[in-house]
């Protein structure tokens, strides 16, 4: 299989689909630059985590069946989110413990699932894109990508090649921002407290741009920065790697 | 102890407003985590030891009855006795009977979470026996009449100033009328007061970090040496332990010991490791005349063979709470029962019922840090998820939350309908936001918008744009 013939199904994720299509376009641009043929199956909605994390296993399994059916024909399934990719890769097979045939399908499917940035680096060895982006940036490690998929060095490696971008370390980069999906609404006060401390840590670096690989965390952090009236741009790492400078940062009007 | 787990949200709100608590929690967050990391990094085989420890515990849990019976045989052979107790009540009454058999008026106590689990102190007090906590942290919270907020640092929520005040208030009767502020002076003051109590006590009660089947030994680790005095000076030593503390051999104990203190405080070992094997023998210089092990089940044997079995590997090191961002935010008391933090979130529903404890497994972002640091590799998030599924199945929790998820899932399971509905919803949100880029208030999402803005959608869904042929933003 040559790289040119790699067929990738883009799992857009519900948050990117609804709130920030730009991240989806950034993902397509990067995947194509890496030599993939990208398709976006229409039969996708969400990975199911809102139900899964609320204890609603039946609805989660139904959603998982839809996703598996829509994506199992691709060479790879790529999501611009460690959280959703982790769900597809590590949690889907567990949903079918009482259905061996479906479990086997879920496991075959899981083998093909990747988080976007680690896929670009580890699988596609994407060549340098010659992107320029003037900023001092810092990077937050989203929990699922970090712990379930071992995404840590890949985004930093690619960001290191962006001309004009200074990447400054974020103390506590591996500490949860307090998003946690439905947690942010069910336990809003605890979540707000957590994200406030994340914002303090980010602000203390002096960076003017915060990057991460998960839109959920980014909406949480950007939303808190806006509420505090602080100007730190928040963007998905794919936007910078794809050079989408014309898109306003998350939560910035326009 | 009286549980307040059902009031987690209120507890959390109060905790977050407590400035002293925040200072104390910051110490946990930075102190313990840095110490553990350094200790783990210094030991090349640390990760292998975690695997070995897990395997030992798994083996024990498959053969629990065998090792417990073996342990009992060895205890009896060395002059001691094992008391099998199914419930906290049985354990309390057994201990009371033992205390009364020697006409005890006071009992010194080493630190024991099982004593908390069975609410031993109030029971002894109600029956005319004064329990005296000898672990400094336990002593402090006993004076303050509070439950522990951390399983290895029971008074971790207290500031030095609060301790100074407490000591002045309670030590007045011993003629200590000066308010000490130096930490060492505070420690010395507590030590001097406790010294006579050790000597006067009729019974010494300790917990156990390990029970060793091959020797019938019980083992405690402490940093203050208080456990040694507690168990050696009185004529009766009562060990209170839950049955999953059993390990087959001293070697197994040593293996797990190598990850215990490193995970807990970042020490290579705790300062004191004390093995107790039977009663005082002829020629021994010290030791108790009577040695009793009160072995508590309290529903643990029911966990074997279920989704919860892996919780029985826990060695109560506290690493999960030391590293938990939610614990760092709300502290231990917010959880409302004996075991706080991630281990509590996974374990407490078993003891309290999911109705009472439903918040605990839900109040987690599933960030996975607890599982990353657990020396026994307990899949804590997976077990919290199990409880969420139990709650959902049994319709525990607000009906509106449940209805919201089912409503959302109805659409999410039907892609065509979902796209139609979301196209519309996104346009509405976009219009509401106007040019500000954010929404500042939303119905049903107050949890979010009370504390932060909601970034507005760009305007059209990706699916919609993609279908219309757009390939860039």
């Amino acid at each position: 299989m040559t790289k040119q013939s790699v067929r990738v199904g883009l799992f857009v994720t519900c948050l990117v689909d609804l709130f920030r299509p730009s991240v989806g376009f950034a993902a397509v641009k990067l995947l194509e630059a890496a030599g993939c043929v990208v398709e976006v199956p229409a039969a996708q909605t969400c990975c199911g985590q809102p139900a899964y994390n609320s204890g609603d296993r039946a609805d989660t399994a139904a959603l998982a069946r839809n996703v598996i059916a829509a994506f199992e024909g691709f060479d790879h399934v790529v999501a611009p989110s460690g959280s959703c990719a982790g769900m597809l890769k590590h949690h889907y097979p567990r949903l079918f413990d009482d259905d061996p045939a479906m479990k086997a399908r879920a496991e075959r499917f899981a083998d093909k699932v990747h988080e976007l940035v680690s896929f670009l680096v580890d699988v596609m060895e994407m060549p340098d894109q010659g992107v320029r982006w003037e900023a001092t940036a810092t990077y937050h490690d989203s929990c699922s990508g970090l712990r379930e998929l071992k995404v840590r060095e890949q985004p930093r490696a690619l960001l290191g090649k962006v001309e004009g971008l200074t990447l400054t370390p974020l103390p506590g980069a591996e500490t949860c921002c307090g998003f946690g999906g439905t947690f942010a609404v069910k336990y809003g006060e605890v979540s707000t407290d957590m994200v406030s401390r994340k914002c303090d840590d980010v602000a203390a670096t002096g960076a003017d741009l915060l990057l991460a690989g998960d839109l959920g965390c980014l909406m949480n952090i950007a939303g808190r920065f806006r509420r505090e009236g602080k100007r730190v741009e928040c963007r998905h790492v794919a936007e910078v790697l794809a050079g989408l400078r014309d898109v306003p940062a998350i939560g910035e009007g326009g | 102890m009286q549980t307040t787990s059902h009031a987690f949200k209120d507890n959390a709100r109060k905790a977050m407003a407590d400035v002293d608590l925040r200072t104390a929690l910051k110490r946990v967050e930075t102190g313990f985590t840095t110490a553990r990391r350094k200790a783990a990094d210094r030991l090349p085989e640390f990760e292998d030891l975690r695997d070995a420890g897990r395997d030992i515990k798994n083996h024990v849990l498959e053969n629990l009855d065998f090792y417990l019976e073996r342990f009992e045989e060895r205890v009896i052979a060395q002059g001691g006795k094992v008391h099998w107790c199914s419930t906290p009540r049985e354990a309390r009454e057994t201990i009371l009977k033992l205390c009364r058999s020697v006409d005890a008026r006071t009992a010194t106590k080493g630190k024991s979470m099982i004593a908390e689990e069975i609410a031993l102190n109030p029971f002894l007090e109600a029956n005319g026996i004064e329990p005296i906590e000898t672990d400094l942290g336990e002593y402090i919270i006993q004076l303050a009449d509070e439950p522990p907020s951390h399983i290895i640092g029971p008074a971790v929520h207290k500031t030095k100033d609060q301790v100074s005040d407490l000591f002045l208030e309670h030590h007045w009767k011993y003629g200590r009328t000066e308010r000490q502020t130096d930490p060492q002076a505070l420690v010395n003051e507590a030590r001097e007061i406790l010294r006579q109590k050790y000597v006067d006590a009729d019974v010494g009660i300790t917990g156990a970090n390990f029970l060793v089947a091959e020797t019938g030994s019980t083992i405690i680790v402490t940093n203050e040496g208080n456990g040694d005095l507690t168990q050696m000076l009185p004529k009766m030593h009562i060990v209170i332990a839950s049955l999953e503390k059993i390990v087959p051999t001293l070697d197994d104990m040593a293996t797990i010991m190598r990850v215990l203190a490193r995970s807990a405080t970042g020490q290579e070992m705790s300062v004191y490791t004390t093995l107790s094997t039977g009663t005082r023998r002829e020629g021994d210089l010290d030791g108790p005349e009577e040695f009793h092990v009160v072995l508590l089940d309290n529903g643990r044997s029911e966990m074997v063979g279920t989704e919860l079995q892996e919780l029985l590997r826990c060695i109560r090191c506290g690493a999960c709470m030391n590293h938990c961002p939610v614990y760092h935010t709300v502290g231990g008391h917010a959880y409302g029962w004996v075991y706080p933090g991630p281990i509590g979130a996974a374990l407490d529903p078993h003891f309290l019922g999911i109705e009472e404890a439903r918040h605990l497994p839900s109040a987690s972002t599933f960030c996975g840090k607890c599982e990353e640091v657990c020396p026994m590799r307990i899949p804590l998030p997976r077990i919290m998820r199990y409880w969420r599924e139990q709650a959902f199945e049994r319709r525990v929790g607000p009906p509106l939350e449940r209805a919201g998820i089912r409503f959302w899932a109805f659409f999410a399971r039907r892609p065509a309908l979902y796209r139609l509905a979301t196209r519309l919803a996104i346009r509405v949100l976009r219009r509401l936001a106007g040019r500000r880029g954010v929404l500042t208030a939303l119905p049903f999402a107050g949890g979010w918008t009370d504390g932060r803005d909601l970034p507005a959608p760009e305007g059209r869904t990706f699916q919609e744009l993609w279908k219309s042929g757009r390939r860039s933003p």
Side-chain angles (χ1 to χ4, degrees):
Chain A
M1 183 164 65
T2 67
K3 280 189 180 174
Q4 272 62 33
S5 70
V6 172
R7 270 181 77 233
V8 166
L10 180 67
F11 187 80
V12 180
T13 81
C14 63
L15 287 180
V16 167
D17 180 40
L18 304 182
F19 282 87
R20 203 157 171 86
S22 299
V23 175
F25 289 116
V28 172
K29 187 174 171 190
L30 290 166
L31 288 166
E32 286 178 348
C36 305
V37 176
V38 183
E39 292 180 40
V40 182
Q44 57 178 310
T45 58
C46 167
C47 69
Q49 279 190 85
Y52 190 48
N53 293 343
S54 300
D56 180 359
R57 207 177 170 90
D59 276 323
T60 313
L63 275 163
R65 281 174 196 274
N66 284 356
V67 173
I68 292 169
F71 283 88
E72 63 193 339
F74 290 97
D75 297 327
H76 297 285
V77 180
V78 175
S81 157
S83 176
C84 310
M87 176 72 185
L88 270 51
K89 197 173 183 66
H90 292 298
H91 297 275
Y92 274 16
R94 288 182 194 161
L95 292 167
F96 303 106
D97 284 342
D98 47 4
D99 181 348
M102 192 61 216
K103 191 178 176 73
R105 253 176 89 190
E107 278 166 353
R108 280 195 302 276
F109 162 81
D111 287 341
K112 302 178 174 189
V113 174
H114 307 269
E115 180 276 337
L116 172 68
V117 181
S118 51
F119 177 74
L120 294 173
V121 173
D122 299 340
V123 180
M124 299 307 294
E125 297 169 12
M126 187 176 74
D128 187 12
Q129 298 299 297
V131 171
R132 197 173 170 80
W133 194 301
E134 297 281 347
T136 302
T138 195
Y139 183 85
H140 163 72
D141 293 276
S142 294
C143 298
S144 303
L146 176 70
R147 299 200 177 87
E148 291 186 338
L149 303 171
K150 311 293 172 216
V151 180
R152 182 189 271 131
E153 302 311 325
Q154 303 92 330
R156 291 177 170 88
L158 291 186
L159 288 169
K161 293 181 192 162
V162 175
E163 276 182 67
L165 192 80
T166 309
L167 198 60
T168 183
L170 173 63
E174 296 185 1
T175 302
C176 178
C177 73
F179 174 63
T182 52
F183 173 87
V185 178
K186 286 184 188 168
Y187 299 94
E189 292 172 64
V190 180
S191 171
T192 297
D193 202 275
M194 291 164 74
V195 72
S196 304
R197 280 178 284 145
K198 178 59 70 179
C199 287
D200 291 347
D201 288 345
V202 172
T205 65
D208 44 35
L209 175 62
L210 171 77
L211 301 174
D214 264 274
L215 191 52
C217 316
L218 286 161
M219 288 176 62
N220 185 35
I221 299 169
R224 181 63 198 175
F225 268 135
R226 284 297 308 262
R227 180 62 57 91
E228 290 177 350
K230 285 185 192 148
R231 290 272 320 183
V232 176
E233 274 196 15
C234 299
R235 287 180 185 275
H236 193 286
V237 62
E239 297 172 36
V240 170
L241 296 176
L244 301 188
R245 261 175 311 260
D246 296 338
V247 178
I250 297 166
E252 308 281 342
Chain B
M1 75 187 253
Q2 193 64 41
T3 164
T4 64
S5 298
H6 60 276
F8 175 83
K9 284 188 177 184
D10 289 335
N11 298 346
R13 193 172 302 124
K14 275 179 223 147
M16 288 187 286
D18 183 338
V19 180
D20 287 334
L21 179 62
R22 304 214 70 127
T23 312
L25 290 172
K26 194 75 205 164
R27 277 202 308 270
V28 173
E29 184 179 349
T30 49
F32 280 130
T33 52
T34 312
R36 178 206 174 263
R37 176 173 294 246
K38 283 184 182 163
D41 288 350
R42 274 197 305 265
L43 190 68
E45 64 269 40
F46 186 72
E47 295 303 316
D48 293 341
L49 284 170
R50 288 174 68 183
D51 290 340
R54 175 199 57 203
D55 295 347
I56 289 168
K57 286 282 190 178
N58 281 346
H59 169 76
V60 166
L61 292 172
E62 296 299 324
N63 303 278
L64 203 50
D65 48 353
F66 172 81
Y67 287 114
L68 286 171
E69 282 169 17
R70 185 76 192 275
F71 171 76
E72 183 182 28
E73 280 167 28
R74 297 306 303 155
V75 171
I76 292 170
Q78 287 159 125
K81 191 157 190 245
V82 175
H83 306 262
W84 302 74
C85 298
S86 309
T87 62
R89 185 182 166 165
E90 257 182 75
R92 286 192 299 262
E93 282 170 358
T94 302
I95 292 169
L96 179 64
K97 207 179 289 174
L98 290 169
C99 288
R100 285 196 169 146
S101 72
V102 291
D103 297 324
R105 286 170 302 109
T106 65
T108 43
K109 269 188 74 213
K111 193 177 137 26
S112 157
M113 290 310 295
I114 299 300
E116 298 291 339
E117 186 179 316
I118 67 170
L120 182 61
N121 283 5
F123 180 76
L124 290 179
E125 278 165 18
N127 286 283
I129 295 165
E130 185 197 351
I132 298 151
E133 296 290 352
T134 62
D135 170 271
L136 184 61
E138 287 286 349
Y139 180 72
I140 290 166
I141 59 165
Q142 189 181 26
L143 294 184
D145 194 21
E146 287 175 11
S149 71
H150 189 289
I151 63 173
I152 65 162
V156 79
H157 59 286
K158 288 277 180 222
T159 61
K160 183 168 64 70
D161 267 354
Q162 290 171 329
V163 175
S164 296
D165 291 341
L166 267 176
F167 277 17
L168 184 64
E169 180 191 342
H170 290 273
H171 292 169
W172 192 271
K173 60 179 180 243
Y174 304 110
R176 306 285 180 144
T177 53
E178 196 182 329
R179 185 176 182 275
Q180 302 293 341
T181 53
D182 172 54
Q184 193 54 53
L186 287 164
V187 171
N188 290 345
E189 185 173 308
R191 281 208 167 133
E192 283 158 24
I193 284 166
L194 283 172
R195 193 141 299 156
Q196 190 58 39
K197 298 194 186 270
Y198 286 121
V199 179
D200 294 342
D202 307 295
V203 173
I205 302 171
T206 67
N209 292 90
F210 302 94
L211 308 172
V212 181
E214 75 170 341
T215 60
S217 308
T218 72
I219 295 168
I220 55 171
V221 299
T222 73
N223 279 321
E224 298 164 24
N226 62 302
D228 297 33
L229 293 174
T230 299
Q231 68 185 53
M232 281 190 304
L233 296 181
K235 51 191 171 240
M236 177 184 282
H237 178 196
I238 303 175
V239 178
I240 166 102
S242 51
L243 43 82
E244 83 279 14
K245 293 288 166 194
I246 191 87
V247 291
T249 65
L250 285 172
D251 276 347
D252 295 327
M253 180 274 289
T255 299
I256 298 175
M257 191 80 94
R258 295 185 71 197
V259 294
L260 173 57
R262 287 181 168 93
S263 299
T265 56
Q267 292 165 288
E268 276 155 14
M269 283 183 81
S270 302
V271 179
Y272 296 84
T273 299
T274 311
L275 288 78
S276 308
T277 311
T279 52
R280 180 178 192 158
R281 294 164 303 188
E282 220 173 284
D284 280 354
L285 294 177
D286 50 28
E289 290 162 28
E290 289 190 49
F291 178 69
H292 298 274
V293 181
V294 175
L295 198 56
L296 178 71
D297 185 340
N298 197 16
R300 286 169 172 80
S301 53
E302 289 165 18
M303 294 162 76
V304 176
T306 73
E307 297 268 357
L308 304 176
Q309 172 168 327
E310 294 185 78
L311 288 172
L312 296 174
R313 289 204 300 265
C314 177
I315 54 174
R316 303 288 188 267
C317 69
C320 60
M321 59 199 75
N322 287 344
H323 290 77
C324 174
V326 174
Y327 181 94
H328 294 156
T329 307
V330 303
H333 287 158
Y335 291 81
W337 199 58
V338 174
Y339 303 105
I343 184 65
L347 191 58
D348 294 352
H350 180 70
F351 293 118
L352 303 176
I354 190 62
E355 289 79 9
E356 170 66 25
R358 74 173 176 93
H359 282 300
L360 309 189
S362 277
S364 158
T365 62
F366 282 155
C367 79
K369 188 72 191 175
C370 50
E371 185 174 358
E372 182 183 294
V373 297
C374 172
M376 293 292 111
R377 301 199 192 278
I378 300 170
L380 290 158
R382 205 181 79 202
I383 294 168
M384 289 181 224
R385 189 188 307 285
Y386 162 81
W387 285 118
R388 292 187 193 187
E389 287 169 0
Q390 292 292 308
F392 193 86
E393 225 167 77
R394 297 190 220 166
R395 297 174 180 267
V396 175
L400 199 64
E401 260 179 38
R402 182 192 172 84
I405 285 296
R406 298 285 347 243
F407 180 76
W408 169 85
F410 178 85
F411 286 92
R413 289 171 65 167
R414 295 165 176 80
L417 185 63
Y418 176 87
R419 273 200 302 281
L420 211 64
T422 51
R423 268 176 69 162
L424 205 69
I426 286 314
R427 277 176 170 72
V428 172
L429 284 182
R430 178 68 204 179
R431 188 151 301 171
L432 283 174
R435 297 189 60 81
R436 283 170 304 167
V438 291
L439 293 133
T440 52
L442 269 183
F444 304 113
W448 182 286
T449 53
D450 284 350
R452 68 217 116 171
D453 295 342
L454 181 69
E458 287 179 339
R460 295 214 276 161
T461 69
F462 180 83
Q463 288 285 8
E464 187 186 350
L465 294 166
W466 185 262
K467 202 175 164 203
S468 73
R470 277 271 285 277
R471 292 297 178 264
S472 63

